[in-house]
Amino acid sequence: MTGSRHVTSYAPRFALVAAVSILFFLGGCSSAKRPEAKASTPVAASPSPVYVHMNGHNMFLENIVAVAPGQPVVFVNEDTGMHMVLGYNPLTGKVNPKFSGSLMGTPGRGHPVSTYQIRFTKPGVYYYFCPVHAELKKAPGNVYVPIKRPGVHGFPVPMAGVVIVTTEKALIADDPPSSHRKILPGYFGG
Ligand SMILES: [Cu+2]
């Protein structure tokens, strides 16, 4: 298309009418393609979702994921019990009501699963925890960290995670393979 535009710019003024109309036509093609190229940018910026899974182990399987701005993050509950996702600021301990979802349990494989989807438009690091299975506690250094709620079974780690929103493609490429699949057939539990 650049070529035809080049020809258009330098075409002699007295070019044949036919040639002009051909160039016009080519010009039309070129300008028709340009918005298409622009329109592909948002598509590239919001590719398929990144999935974060839960099961009976009361943790987020992919507890650190990186996504592009606008790319959906989908939390998927494959546990029989319910979980919640709640964003927080580690510097203040304040929770973020805009990053908040409840996910009902599922009886298991073949049954519907509860999901919660969110998109972040601004690059940054977004912290979250499940307030059912973890709680925020002030830690040395005046930061708030999620700790495992007393009595919660599962792994010793608290049920919490981080979403990194970045334009750095290498970080996004490091996401675990399981984060590309909505349902992990072997991961139902609880
Ligand atoms: Cu939970």
Side-chain angles (χ1 to χ4, degrees):
M1 287 308 125
T2 317
S4 69
R5 289 178 67 82
H6 187 84
V7 169
T8 310
S9 321
Y10 295 96
R13 243 187 246 172
F14 44 85
L16 292 171
V17 172
V20 168
S21 27
I22 286 166
L23 287 172
F24 236 163
F25 178 73
L26 287 173
C29 281
S30 129
S31 58
K33 289 226 164 153
R34 294 210 137 210
E36 197 184 306
K38 269 189 183 172
S40 73
T41 310
V43 173
S46 60
S48 49
V50 161
Y51 297 98
V52 177
H53 301 87
M54 289 142 264
N55 78 352
H57 287 119
N58 294 330
M59 63 173 287
F60 294 101
L61 180 61
E62 303 86 358
N63 53 10
I64 302 177
V65 291
V67 292
Q71 182 174 10
V73 180
V74 178
F75 293 85
V76 182
N77 190 5
E78 297 192 34
D79 189 0
T80 50
M82 83 159 291
H83 294 286
M84 292 174 78
V85 173
L86 184 58
Y88 72 94
N89 182 334
L91 300 178
T92 63
K94 279 192 179 167
V95 297
N96 179 0
K98 288 182 184 167
F99 183 11
S100 171
S102 294
L103 298 110
M104 295 301 117
T106 174
R109 203 172 169 159
H111 294 270
V113 292
S114 183
T115 61
Y116 164 62
Q117 174 176 301
I118 185 166
R119 292 169 198 257
F120 300 93
T121 50
K122 280 168 68 178
V125 180
Y126 297 86
Y127 298 79
Y128 64 89
F129 71 112
C130 167
V132 179
H133 297 109
E135 57 191 351
L136 289 180
K137 197 178 177 188
K138 200 168 188 180
N142 281 335
V143 290
Y144 290 82
V145 295
I147 59 162
K148 201 173 145 177
R149 261 193 203 284
V152 166
H153 72 280
F155 289 105
V157 294
M159 190 165 185
V162 168
V163 176
I164 300 164
V165 180
T166 178
T167 52
E168 205 62 57
K169 289 194 171 81
L171 279 179
I172 298 169
D174 273 347
D175 282 343
S178 62
S179 70
H180 303 309
R181 299 176 64 190
K182 182 180 175 187
I183 304 285
L184 304 179
Y187 198 63
F188 283 97

Short mmCIF file of all heavy atoms in Angstrom, two decimals, residues 77-104:
data_model
loop_
_atom_site.label_atom_id
_atom_site.label_comp_id
_atom_site.label_asym_id
_atom_site.label_seq_id
_atom_site.Cartn_x
_atom_site.Cartn_y
_atom_site.Cartn_z
N ASN A 77 -13.63 -21.19 39.49
CA ASN A 77 -13.71 -22.01 40.71
C ASN A 77 -14.07 -23.46 40.38
O ASN A 77 -15.21 -23.74 40.00
CB ASN A 77 -14.72 -21.41 41.67
CG ASN A 77 -14.65 -22.08 43.03
OD1 ASN A 77 -13.78 -22.93 43.27
ND2 ASN A 77 -15.56 -21.72 43.92
N GLU A 78 -13.11 -24.36 40.55
CA GLU A 78 -13.37 -25.79 40.33
C GLU A 78 -13.51 -26.53 41.66
O GLU A 78 -13.47 -27.76 41.71
CB GLU A 78 -12.24 -26.41 39.49
CG GLU A 78 -12.13 -25.82 38.09
CD GLU A 78 -11.22 -26.62 37.15
OE1 GLU A 78 -11.16 -27.86 37.26
OE2 GLU A 78 -10.56 -25.99 36.32
N ASP A 79 -13.69 -25.75 42.72
CA ASP A 79 -13.85 -26.31 44.07
C ASP A 79 -15.33 -26.53 44.35
O ASP A 79 -16.19 -25.86 43.77
CB ASP A 79 -13.27 -25.29 45.06
CG ASP A 79 -13.16 -25.83 46.48
OD1 ASP A 79 -13.53 -27.00 46.73
OD2 ASP A 79 -12.70 -25.05 47.34
N THR A 80 -15.63 -27.46 45.27
CA THR A 80 -17.03 -27.62 45.69
C THR A 80 -17.45 -26.44 46.58
O THR A 80 -18.62 -26.09 46.64
CB THR A 80 -17.22 -28.93 46.49
OG1 THR A 80 -16.22 -28.99 47.51
CG2 THR A 80 -17.10 -30.16 45.59
N GLY A 81 -16.48 -25.85 47.26
CA GLY A 81 -16.78 -24.72 48.14
C GLY A 81 -16.63 -23.39 47.43
O GLY A 81 -16.10 -23.31 46.32
N MET A 82 -17.13 -22.34 48.07
CA MET A 82 -17.05 -21.01 47.45
C MET A 82 -15.74 -20.31 47.77
O MET A 82 -15.10 -20.60 48.78
CB MET A 82 -18.24 -20.14 47.86
CG MET A 82 -18.07 -19.45 49.17
SD MET A 82 -19.13 -18.00 49.42
CE MET A 82 -18.49 -16.80 48.28
N HIS A 83 -15.36 -19.40 46.90
CA HIS A 83 -14.20 -18.55 47.13
C HIS A 83 -14.56 -17.12 46.75
O HIS A 83 -15.54 -16.90 46.04
CB HIS A 83 -13.00 -19.00 46.30
CG HIS A 83 -12.47 -20.35 46.71
ND1 HIS A 83 -11.74 -20.53 47.86
CD2 HIS A 83 -12.58 -21.57 46.13
CE1 HIS A 83 -11.42 -21.80 47.97
NE2 HIS A 83 -11.92 -22.47 46.93
N MET A 84 -13.74 -16.21 47.22
CA MET A 84 -13.92 -14.81 46.83
C MET A 84 -12.58 -14.26 46.35
O MET A 84 -11.53 -14.78 46.72
CB MET A 84 -14.41 -13.98 48.02
CG MET A 84 -15.83 -14.34 48.45
SD MET A 84 -16.32 -13.47 49.93
CE MET A 84 -16.68 -11.85 49.24
N VAL A 85 -12.68 -13.24 45.55
CA VAL A 85 -11.49 -12.52 45.09
C VAL A 85 -11.68 -11.07 45.51
O VAL A 85 -12.72 -10.47 45.22
CB VAL A 85 -11.36 -12.61 43.55
CG1 VAL A 85 -10.23 -11.74 43.05
CG2 VAL A 85 -11.16 -14.05 43.11
N LEU A 86 -10.71 -10.53 46.23
CA LEU A 86 -10.83 -9.15 46.69
C LEU A 86 -9.47 -8.46 46.59
O LEU A 86 -8.49 -8.90 47.20
CB LEU A 86 -11.33 -9.14 48.15
CG LEU A 86 -11.61 -7.78 48.77
CD1 LEU A 86 -12.64 -6.98 47.97
CD2 LEU A 86 -12.08 -7.93 50.22
N GLY A 87 -9.43 -7.40 45.80
CA GLY A 87 -8.19 -6.64 45.63
C GLY A 87 -7.88 -5.84 46.88
O GLY A 87 -8.78 -5.45 47.63
N TYR A 88 -6.61 -5.56 47.11
CA TYR A 88 -6.21 -4.73 48.25
C TYR A 88 -4.94 -3.98 47.92
O TYR A 88 -4.19 -4.36 47.01
CB TYR A 88 -6.02 -5.58 49.50
CG TYR A 88 -4.79 -6.47 49.47
CD1 TYR A 88 -3.58 -6.04 50.03
CD2 TYR A 88 -4.82 -7.71 48.86
CE1 TYR A 88 -2.45 -6.84 49.99
CE2 TYR A 88 -3.69 -8.51 48.81
CZ TYR A 88 -2.50 -8.07 49.37
OH TYR A 88 -1.38 -8.86 49.32
N ASN A 89 -4.73 -2.93 48.69
CA ASN A 89 -3.51 -2.14 48.55
C ASN A 89 -2.56 -2.53 49.67
O ASN A 89 -2.87 -2.30 50.84
CB ASN A 89 -3.88 -0.65 48.62
CG ASN A 89 -2.67 0.25 48.43
OD1 ASN A 89 -1.53 -0.14 48.71
ND2 ASN A 89 -2.91 1.46 47.96
N PRO A 90 -1.40 -3.11 49.37
CA PRO A 90 -0.51 -3.58 50.44
C PRO A 90 0.06 -2.45 51.28
O PRO A 90 0.52 -2.68 52.40
CB PRO A 90 0.60 -4.32 49.68
CG PRO A 90 0.52 -3.85 48.28
CD PRO A 90 -0.88 -3.38 48.03
N LEU A 91 0.03 -1.22 50.77
CA LEU A 91 0.58 -0.09 51.53
C LEU A 91 -0.42 0.46 52.55
O LEU A 91 -0.03 1.03 53.56
CB LEU A 91 1.03 1.03 50.58
CG LEU A 91 2.11 0.63 49.57
CD1 LEU A 91 2.43 1.79 48.64
CD2 LEU A 91 3.36 0.14 50.28
N THR A 92 -1.71 0.30 52.26
CA THR A 92 -2.73 0.86 53.16
C THR A 92 -3.60 -0.21 53.80
O THR A 92 -4.28 0.05 54.79
CB THR A 92 -3.66 1.81 52.37
OG1 THR A 92 -4.34 1.04 51.37
CG2 THR A 92 -2.90 2.94 51.71
N GLY A 93 -3.63 -1.39 53.21
CA GLY A 93 -4.52 -2.45 53.71
C GLY A 93 -5.96 -2.24 53.26
O GLY A 93 -6.85 -2.99 53.65
N LYS A 94 -6.20 -1.21 52.45
CA LYS A 94 -7.57 -0.95 51.97
C LYS A 94 -7.94 -1.92 50.86
O LYS A 94 -7.12 -2.18 49.98
CB LYS A 94 -7.69 0.48 51.44
CG LYS A 94 -7.88 1.50 52.53
CD LYS A 94 -8.29 2.84 51.94
CE LYS A 94 -8.51 3.86 53.05
NZ LYS A 94 -8.60 5.21 52.56
N VAL A 95 -9.17 -2.41 50.93
CA VAL A 95 -9.61 -3.31 49.88
C VAL A 95 -10.22 -2.51 48.73
O VAL A 95 -10.61 -1.36 48.90
CB VAL A 95 -10.62 -4.36 50.41
CG1 VAL A 95 -9.96 -5.25 51.44
CG2 VAL A 95 -11.88 -3.71 50.93
N ASN A 96 -10.25 -3.13 47.56
CA ASN A 96 -10.71 -2.47 46.35
C ASN A 96 -12.04 -3.08 45.91
O ASN A 96 -12.07 -4.17 45.35
CB ASN A 96 -9.65 -2.64 45.26
CG ASN A 96 -10.04 -2.00 43.95
OD1 ASN A 96 -11.12 -1.40 43.83
ND2 ASN A 96 -9.18 -2.11 42.95
N PRO A 97 -13.15 -2.36 46.16
CA PRO A 97 -14.45 -2.92 45.81
C PRO A 97 -14.64 -3.14 44.31
O PRO A 97 -15.52 -3.89 43.89
CB PRO A 97 -15.45 -1.89 46.34
CG PRO A 97 -14.67 -0.65 46.57
CD PRO A 97 -13.23 -1.03 46.75
N LYS A 98 -13.79 -2.50 43.48
CA LYS A 98 -13.90 -2.69 42.02
C LYS A 98 -13.22 -3.98 41.57
O LYS A 98 -13.40 -4.41 40.43
CB LYS A 98 -13.27 -1.50 41.29
CG LYS A 98 -14.09 -0.26 41.40
CD LYS A 98 -13.44 0.87 40.61
CE LYS A 98 -14.20 2.17 40.79
NZ LYS A 98 -13.42 3.32 40.30
N PHE A 99 -12.39 -4.54 42.42
CA PHE A 99 -11.71 -5.80 42.12
C PHE A 99 -12.24 -6.79 43.15
O PHE A 99 -11.60 -7.08 44.16
CB PHE A 99 -10.20 -5.59 42.23
CG PHE A 99 -9.34 -6.79 41.87
CD1 PHE A 99 -9.87 -7.92 41.28
CD2 PHE A 99 -7.97 -6.76 42.14
CE1 PHE A 99 -9.07 -9.01 40.96
CE2 PHE A 99 -7.16 -7.84 41.82
CZ PHE A 99 -7.71 -8.97 41.24
N SER A 100 -13.44 -7.26 42.90
CA SER A 100 -14.14 -8.05 43.92
C SER A 100 -15.14 -8.99 43.26
O SER A 100 -15.96 -8.57 42.45
CB SER A 100 -14.87 -7.08 44.86
OG SER A 100 -15.71 -7.78 45.73
N GLY A 101 -15.03 -10.26 43.59
CA GLY A 101 -15.96 -11.23 43.01
C GLY A 101 -16.18 -12.41 43.93
O GLY A 101 -15.31 -12.74 44.73
N SER A 102 -17.35 -13.00 43.83
CA SER A 102 -17.66 -14.22 44.60
C SER A 102 -17.85 -15.35 43.62
O SER A 102 -18.52 -15.18 42.59
CB SER A 102 -18.95 -14.03 45.41
OG SER A 102 -18.76 -13.06 46.38
N LEU A 103 -17.29 -16.49 43.93
CA LEU A 103 -17.38 -17.64 43.03
C LEU A 103 -17.96 -18.82 43.76
O LEU A 103 -17.36 -19.35 44.70
CB LEU A 103 -15.98 -17.99 42.49
CG LEU A 103 -15.34 -16.87 41.67
CD1 LEU A 103 -14.18 -16.27 42.42
CD2 LEU A 103 -14.88 -17.40 40.33
N MET A 104 -19.16 -19.21 43.33
CA MET A 104 -19.83 -20.35 43.95
C MET A 104 -19.08 -21.64 43.61
O MET A 104 -18.37 -21.71 42.62
CB MET A 104 -21.27 -20.45 43.45
CG MET A 104 -22.14 -19.28 43.87
SD MET A 104 -22.20 -19.12 45.67
CE MET A 104 -21.46 -17.52 45.91
#
